[in-house]
Amino acid sequence: MLAQPETRMLWHLTGPDDYIIHVAAVDPADLQRFVLNELTARPEVALVHTNLIFRQWHGRPLRPPRAKA
């Protein structure tokens, strides 16, 4: 998946989902093409669940917790 030009980020997870793939598509038809031709066509892919991101917020940078005195 990392070799696909649509892939922006890839996470390997624990739990019921194995991976999250962040992809970029120009329109819904392009996303459909990617899901059908690049994901579900692979024999190792059993299930695809698609979510669309409407808005994104960025938090503060992570900092280590303060030491307790």
Side-chain angles (χ1 to χ4, degrees), residues 25-35:
V26 295
D27 57 27
D30 189 40
L31 179 60
Q32 180 182 13
R33 179 206 50 79
F34 179 81
V35 169

Side-chain angles (χ1 to χ4, degrees), residues 13-41:
L13 310 171
T14 63
D17 297 321
D18 294 327
Y19 292 92
I20 293 177
I21 305 170
H22 178 189
V23 301
V26 295
D27 57 27
D30 189 40
L31 179 60
Q32 180 182 13
R33 179 206 50 79
F34 179 81
V35 169
L36 296 179
N37 297 346
E38 303 301 333
L39 293 179
T40 60

Side-chain angles (χ1 to χ4, degrees), residues 4-68:
Q4 300 300 321
E6 297 89 350
T7 300
R8 297 296 176 246
M9 291 189 210
L10 178 66
W11 294 273
H12 186 204
L13 310 171
T14 63
D17 297 321
D18 294 327
Y19 292 92
I20 293 177
I21 305 170
H22 178 189
V23 301
V26 295
D27 57 27
D30 189 40
L31 179 60
Q32 180 182 13
R33 179 206 50 79
F34 179 81
V35 169
L36 296 179
N37 297 346
E38 303 301 333
L39 293 179
T40 60
R42 295 172 173 261
E44 66 272 21
V45 175
L47 177 69
V48 174
H49 182 90
T50 303
N51 291 294
L52 299 176
I53 299 170
F54 292 123
R55 187 175 288 180
Q56 176 179 334
W57 293 269
H58 293 281
R60 297 183 306 256
L62 293 176
R63 295 186 182 154
R66 295 181 187 186
K68 297 187 180 191

